[in-house]
Amino acid sequence: MLNISNNRKKSLLKSQIIINMDFPEELINKYKIFDNAIIININDKINLQSKRFNGINVNYYKINLPEEYKLDKFMDEIVYESLIYTKNNYKEISKKIMQDNIKIIGLIGNNGNISKNEIVTSQI
């Protein structure tokens, strides 16, 4: 479900998963957020300043990259993002990811790697 609202007190209070595509840190910190939410930040690293927030704040990811695409001294994720950036639409990007068998192997938060156990326990 897509929730679009300017009500800072209620709009994110019940959302368990939040995908932040364009809110800067100053703006998202003005919203009241569900204490155990999972926040996935797409563009920028965000630090939540709420003392009550006990959820997961995903700022980055790790993928498995085929050897044919690897470059020395470059992060695998940046290399692959540059490959799919040239695609025109979601279908082409999705097809390329499926062909290359790309999988997300890890999520990175403010304090380092996020374990699967942390994700499961935050949703209880």
Side-chain angles (χ1 to χ4, degrees), residues 41-53:
N41 297 300
I42 302 295
N43 290 330
D44 297 323
K45 180 179 178 182
I46 302 290
N47 289 317
L48 294 173
Q49 296 170 349
S50 171
K51 292 181 181 178
R52 291 188 58 180
F53 182 71

Side-chain angles (χ1 to χ4, degrees), residues 22 40 53 64 80 90:
D22 58 357
I40 302 168
F53 182 71
N64 65 329
Y80 200 75
Y90 176 76

